[in-house]
Amino acid sequence: MAKTKGSSKKQQKRGIDFKKIKRKIGRKLPPPKNTTNTEIKSKAIVLPEQSVASEKAGLAVSKKGLTLKELLQHTSHHNAKVRKDALMGMKDLFLNHPEELKLHRYAVIEKLRERMSDDEKTVRENLYQLLKLVILPGCKEDNQGPVISLMMAYIFNAMTHLAIDVRLMAFKFFDLAVEYHPPSFFSYAEKILQNYEDILRKNQFYLEDKVKLKNALAGLVRCLLLLPSSKEVNLPAKNIPEKKILQAFEPDVPTVFAEYSVIIKKLKDLVPVLVNCFQDFLPVLHDSLDAQSFDCMLNILRSIDLAVAFFIHGIQQGHPESPPLDQSFSSVLLKKLLVVFPLSPMHHLSEKDDDRYVILNIVITEIFMHLSEWICPPAVLFEKFLTFVEYVLLEKSCSNVRSNKAVREKQISTLIPFIPKLVSRVIGNWKNRLLQAFTKTFQDCSPESSVKLACLAAIEEMVISHEDLLCTDVNDSGLFDYKITWIRELPMLLILLGDRHSSSSKVVLHLLLRLGQRSLLYDDMQGLLKEFYSTDQDKGNELDPFMLFRIIEVLHSTYKAGRIQISDFISFLITLASRFKMGDNSLVFAILEKVILEQISLKPPLDNSCAMLRMLVALDSKPTRLSKQSICSLSNVLSAYLIDVAHCVPEDDDESMSSIHGQTRRYYLLPSFILFDRSHKLLNLVLNVMGSSINGRSFSLLSGDRICYAKGSSSIINAIVSVLLWMQREAKVQQILYLYKEEIDHISRSICSLQSLEEINVPIEERHIIKCAIDRLKTLTSSLYQ
């Protein structure tokens, strides 16, 4: 049946509820129609004045453009590479901008010290290099005590770290601290020695990393070198080295000696640990002794030697905290250390390797020599050491290997100072063997070598310091023959040295002088010495003008090169002027008077002023030739000069002129005293200048640029009183002072007046100094009136 038309239209209007869309595989689906578009579009806002570059304008930055603040923040970054780069950036920044370090050194140390316990080895190493090469040298001009104190707590914290690498590195940081601020060792001696004892007991660790152990032991040696030693006491007077750090820091000395007993106690605990540590290295000796093991063993032995020398020094000085070297302590060293002597390889080694064994044996010999002064070693052991000393003197001095010359000289020079004591202790055949070996060494070594200097010091000790040392057996003429042989070598040695090795020539001349003072030179030696001095007695009174001016020319070039003092230079010129008729003294004085006064008024260094005053004295006469104008000018100059002397030459407990400071002081004061003797008016004017300066509370005349040590009026007053007391001690000047009691009373009243006026404003220390000066001046005034 056919569909009707109406029904078909109705079917079309019905539509489809869900239209099915066919999708092709691989095509991206479109987003849903109800999706919210979250994309935000905006234009950039440009603010030129707020850029990063402009913020850093004028600030010091590293190569990567980082400021110090940013670099310090990066040192705490979680990434080790960032921390390391920050340290390297700081090195670059401080080298290019050193003022940044001076301004922020404390803040820098407070931040960097955290990295001493860093887990990363490269970070710790870079920190060490930064401190060593940049930061600590950059702070060297300032007081480094506060800088080092900021580091110490973190260094000790690193010494107790669980990681052995961090602990060993901490000793390296401490070594750096001691290098730049030596008193830090004494401030933390107990802690540091305890930490050394703890780390050296961990033998399972240090044998695995000898490089770090070597660094730690080198730091221990540096610390122990600061302690006073018996080696200084045993040296001849002229060979005593400069003061150790312990005595150099005088304000800290009471504190140091308060800790004396603590240091001794800790060292007595540490020495047996060092001996055990040394024994742990002995198996290495059977094979080839590598450089790292050698360095470790050498530093261990040096530490033991320095500790023993420190104990003996305390005993020699009679320090109450120094216990005697008891048998239990000595036996540890004798049984465990000295019985392995001499150390020797199992098979033949090269010259270089053999030298390492010799060096170790020499240090053991030093330890034995120190101990043998307080204990009686077995005869067999003593003979071992005598044999070794003889071997070094004979065999090592004859070696022809040039490459090891410096090493051999150092080896021999170390043993030679013990020869005088060994010779005094042995008898019979061994005495002759030692003297023969010593004499051969003295004759065979080169004139300018350190061995020759050591031999000269030993000869002085044996021949002069202990004149009866070689005369114990009057029937043995051989001993006396050795002494003659040494003395007869000296003139030829002096000729060989000539002026090419002035320091060595000076030592020989000093020894010849001391021998001559004791009538130990022989008549035939004068002919040998003539070649060195080149004197011509027949033509000594006359010199060719060309030769005379050539002498002056050479002398002047020597002075310009800084090889002679100006005082000696001017004195020699005056000698030439007076000795070889270069002009009439009065005429020369008239020419030089004005020039000398002008030069002194320019306030040159103290030595220059002294030299010019001496020239004035040499050309002047009594009564003085100085004009009134010159005397008036000289009074102002001398006032400042005398105050300068008082500031530059310290006073000591020994007030006599025979003391070292007294002799120095007299050298500077004598020209002034001679001028006072020749012109009483000059002394009167000098006293008036001093008194008027105090009365007017103006020290401009006395506190010139030269006076670097003055600290306010009290220092000037104290110096003036010292000068007056020195005048009183000089006989001729003392007589003149009686004529000027009124001027001295005026000075005394001026000081008392100044004390009362400034009593409120002057600090307590200043008032105390002024009061002491017044008390000292009362002694002078009372003696004048008596």
Side-chain angles (χ1 to χ4, degrees), residues 499 502 554-566 568-569:
D499 57 357
S502 56
V554 172
L555 187 68
H556 182 65
S557 62
T558 306
Y559 162 69
K560 289 181 68 177
R563 295 176 183 171
I564 59 173
Q565 298 292 331
I566 188 172
D568 298 326
F569 175 49

Side-chain angles (χ1 to χ4, degrees), residues 347-365:
H347 49 82
H348 179 70
L349 298 175
S350 64
E351 181 93 10
K352 182 178 180 180
D353 292 332
D354 183 58
D355 283 337
R356 290 176 178 171
Y357 285 88
V358 173
I359 291 171
L360 295 178
N361 284 325
I362 285 176
V363 184
I364 295 177
T365 303

Side-chain angles (χ1 to χ4, degrees), residues 419-464:
I419 295 296
K421 286 187 178 179
L422 286 174
V423 170
S424 66
R425 293 176 59 183
V426 298
I427 57 175
N429 186 41
W430 264 116
K431 175 173 286 191
N432 184 63
R433 288 172 63 176
L434 284 177
L435 290 170
Q436 185 177 5
F438 170 78
T439 304
K440 180 173 176 52
T441 300
F442 174 57
Q443 292 174 330
D444 293 348
C445 64
S446 58
E448 71 281 359
S449 66
S450 58
V451 177
K452 186 72 78 174
L453 291 175
C455 289
L456 290 171
I459 289 172
E460 181 175 350
E461 185 175 354
M462 288 189 285
V463 176
I464 298 175

Side-chain angles (χ1 to χ4, degrees), residues 460-476:
E460 181 175 350
E461 185 175 354
M462 288 189 285
V463 176
I464 298 175
S465 301
H466 302 142
E467 289 184 14
D468 58 341
L469 183 65
L470 303 180
C471 303
T472 53
D473 188 355
V474 293
N475 297 321
D476 191 353

Side-chain angles (χ1 to χ4, degrees), residues 657 666 670 673 725-735:
M657 288 293 183
R666 180 175 173 77
L670 190 58
F673 290 169
L725 291 173
W726 296 336
M727 289 181 183
Q728 184 200 22
R729 296 188 194 118
E730 188 70 21
K732 289 185 178 180
V733 182
Q734 184 186 49
Q735 296 174 6

Side-chain angles (χ1 to χ4, degrees), residues 222-266:
R222 185 190 297 276
C223 292
L224 297 182
L225 280 170
L226 301 178
L227 297 172
S229 168
S230 62
K231 297 180 182 182
E232 298 176 19
V233 178
N234 295 332
L235 286 172
K238 68 182 183 63
N239 289 327
I240 294 178
E242 294 182 1
K243 285 185 178 182
K244 296 280 184 172
I245 297 298
L246 178 63
Q247 293 90 348
F249 292 90
E250 293 181 0
D252 297 336
V253 168
T255 306
V256 170
F257 281 111
E259 300 294 330
Y260 204 105
S261 59
V262 175
I263 296 176
I264 290 178
K265 182 179 181 300
K266 299 308 299 182

Side-chain angles (χ1 to χ4, degrees), residues 189-224:
E190 184 176 8
K191 269 189 177 182
I192 189 62
L193 293 176
Q194 182 61 53
N195 278 286
Y196 270 112
E197 183 180 344
D198 293 341
I199 196 68
L200 292 175
R201 290 186 187 276
K202 310 287 184 181
N203 57 354
Q204 67 270 27
F205 296 114
Y206 60 67
L207 289 176
E208 298 174 4
D209 199 342
K210 298 173 185 175
V211 175
K212 290 188 177 66
L213 177 64
K214 179 190 73 173
N215 293 332
L217 290 169
L220 177 60
V221 171
R222 185 190 297 276
C223 292
L224 297 182

